[in-house]
Amino acid sequence: MSSTSALHNSQFRIYFVASCFATMAVWMIRFLFGWLIWQQTESFLWVGVASTSLLLPSLIITPIFGVIADRINLKWGMIYWLACQSAVTLLAIGLLSLWPLSLTLLLSLTLAFGVIAGAGSPLRLTLIPKLVTPDELSNAVGLGAMVFNSSRIVAPALSAWCLTFMGPIGVLVLGGLAFLAAAGLNMLLADHYSVSHRPAKDVATNNGWQDFIAGVRFSWSNPVIRLICALTLINSQVARSLMELLPALSGLFTAGTATDLATLTAFAGGGSILGGWFMSTLGRDSRRLVRVLIGAMLLTSVAILPLLFALSIWPMSVSIGLISLLMTLLGTGSQILLQRQTQDAMRGRVLSLWITIAIAGPAFGALVMGAVAEFLGFPVMLALMLVLSLLSTAWLLRRRELIDDRALPAEPESTIHTLT
């Protein structure tokens, strides 16, 4: 463990373990909904609609909670959010036990789960810099990415086992218990993690809309934040959208079993774990970080190409793993740069705008790409992603020198203020 490892920090260790439980629950339930909807419809379009139902609420919910994150005690905000996740899971158990399984019911549950999930990301990402020192930040963000994506390996395998021996209710029960465990662990955090370095009169006099507009103006005025948002949007329409359609990809090119889907998801998670680990080792050199981001965008164009050919489960899994690794380099690196460029008093609002792009972007991408695959064929969808990735890479490479200049200085003076 390096001297800048965030795991040396006792408060981050508590948060880290709680995140393991919460992200496990999220991926178990997402796997369940994707699988059940594919079984009901065998349709790319409806799998895309389900993904949209999980992610689209972030367009509204995430910016609202970005404003809230800059006003509240973040420890208790996290606890209440996890309690709401448990309540929605309990509701799903009741409805699936009492009513016949139907597409309408499944889509309604995915929408409810997506609404609650949209509230958590601004709270979580605003809290992380308050738990660690500036030197620990890159490691903390990288570890968070590793937890998030390792759950994509363990959770689908566990969900597939539950579907075989316990059924959908078993998946939901385990997910609900994991949410409750995460809430209990967060209660061990210190009780002072509210926003710092913000005048109390601003919190008292500014309404939510004024706070939101101030966050938008701050984000737009900062060229690095604009760059990060553009890069995130590009990534969300290519690699992220492809990951959202994995249930349909498994059903089309493999035997269509839960095990095949778990295998693809596990390779995607493995690639993301490697990406998160690599990003956790980069330190504070922002110029090097920008070079990694541009290289990852270029390599994504190459990694998509093999999927244009009919592959068996194992070559396909390797390709998906590589795309996922590159996707994580882009996403995690963008978050590290964004955290460094954002003032503490603006952090919740700026991060919520970035999260809206990072989460809602793939929702639209999955819906559009799912429709393209449904009506024009899967090869056409992949070709469209490839062209979009190449054009976007060319656009970024033309501005490489400008991007490097905007990314400096690597350590802005008003970046992170850690509560002690």
Side-chain angles (χ1 to χ4, degrees), residues 332-343:
T332 307
S334 295
Q335 185 192 149
I336 293 171
L337 278 178
L338 191 66
Q339 293 277 22
R340 292 176 181 171
Q341 290 290 321
T342 303
Q343 296 177 0

Side-chain angles (χ1 to χ4, degrees), residues 110-386:
T110 59
L111 180 62
F113 191 75
V115 168
I116 301 300
S121 294
L123 302 176
R124 175 175 58 84
L125 297 187
T126 305
L127 178 60
I128 289 175
K130 299 178 183 298
L131 299 173
V132 299
T133 67
D135 285 338
E136 296 168 343
L137 180 61
S138 292
N139 185 257
V141 175
L143 288 173
M146 290 175 66
V147 169
F148 182 81
N149 292 295
S150 63
S151 297
R152 295 166 63 183
I153 294 177
V154 179
L158 181 59
S159 295
W161 182 85
C162 290
L163 285 171
T164 302
F165 296 101
M166 302 169 63
I169 300 302
V171 177
L172 291 170
V173 168
L174 290 178
L177 292 174
F179 283 131
L180 289 175
L185 285 167
N186 275 300
M187 293 186 71
L188 301 176
L189 292 173
D191 201 31
H192 57 253
Y193 290 116
S194 58
V195 69
S196 61
H197 302 277
R198 184 179 182 188
K201 64 179 182 178
D202 288 352
V203 178
T205 59
N206 288 6
N207 60 41
W209 178 250
Q210 290 172 325
D211 275 355
F212 173 74
I213 293 300
V216 172
R217 287 174 176 169
F218 176 84
S219 301
W220 184 254
S221 67
N222 187 308
V224 178
I225 294 176
R226 293 202 307 268
L227 161 68
I228 294 168
C229 289
L231 190 64
T232 302
L233 181 61
I234 294 165
N235 190 35
S236 70
Q237 299 306 301
V238 183
R240 291 287 305 276
S241 295
L242 188 62
M243 295 301 140
E244 294 300 325
L245 293 170
L246 281 185
L249 183 66
S250 173
L252 183 66
F253 291 111
T254 72
T257 65
T259 301
D260 288 336
L261 178 55
T263 299
L264 288 174
T265 308
F267 270 80
S272 291
I273 292 170
L274 291 175
W277 169 81
F278 178 79
M279 298 307 294
S280 72
T281 66
L282 284 184
R284 302 178 72 176
D285 185 349
S286 291
R287 184 180 289 276
R288 179 185 177 196
L289 187 55
V290 171
R291 291 197 297 268
V292 170
L293 297 182
I294 296 175
M297 189 73 251
L298 176 62
L299 290 175
T300 299
S301 307
V302 179
I304 292 174
L305 187 60
L307 294 179
L308 287 168
F309 305 94
L311 301 176
S312 62
I313 180 64
W314 295 111
M316 183 184 301
S317 297
V318 172
S319 294
I320 291 296
L322 177 58
I323 293 170
S324 182
L325 185 153
L326 298 168
M327 177 188 74
T328 303
L329 295 182
L330 288 162
T332 307
S334 295
Q335 185 192 149
I336 293 171
L337 278 178
L338 191 66
Q339 293 277 22
R340 292 176 181 171
Q341 290 290 321
T342 303
Q343 296 177 0
D344 194 56
M346 285 282 183
R347 195 177 304 279
R349 283 163 285 175
V350 173
L351 285 170
S352 72
L353 295 174
W354 176 75
I355 295 165
T356 299
I357 296 172
I359 295 180
F364 284 111
L367 181 62
V368 172
M369 295 300 178
V372 170
E374 180 78 10
F375 298 112
L376 300 179
F378 194 77
V380 175
M381 186 199 81
L382 286 177
L384 180 60
M385 287 183 172
L386 177 62

Side-chain angles (χ1 to χ4, degrees), residues 53-132:
S53 298
L54 282 167
L55 302 178
L56 186 59
S58 297
L59 280 175
I60 299 174
I61 301 298
T62 298
I64 292 173
F65 275 82
V67 173
I68 293 173
D70 284 335
R71 289 171 167 253
I72 66 170
N73 183 303
L74 290 167
K75 166 190 170 178
W76 288 101
M78 286 290 294
I79 292 170
Y80 293 144
W81 170 68
L82 289 164
C84 289
Q85 293 276 54
S86 300
V88 171
T89 305
L90 180 62
L91 174 64
I93 292 172
L95 292 176
L96 292 179
S97 300
L98 297 175
W99 271 269
L101 194 64
S102 67
L103 179 61
T104 300
L105 176 59
L106 290 172
L107 290 177
S108 298
L109 290 174
T110 59
L111 180 62
F113 191 75
V115 168
I116 301 300
S121 294
L123 302 176
R124 175 175 58 84
L125 297 187
T126 305
L127 178 60
I128 289 175
K130 299 178 183 298
L131 299 173
V132 299

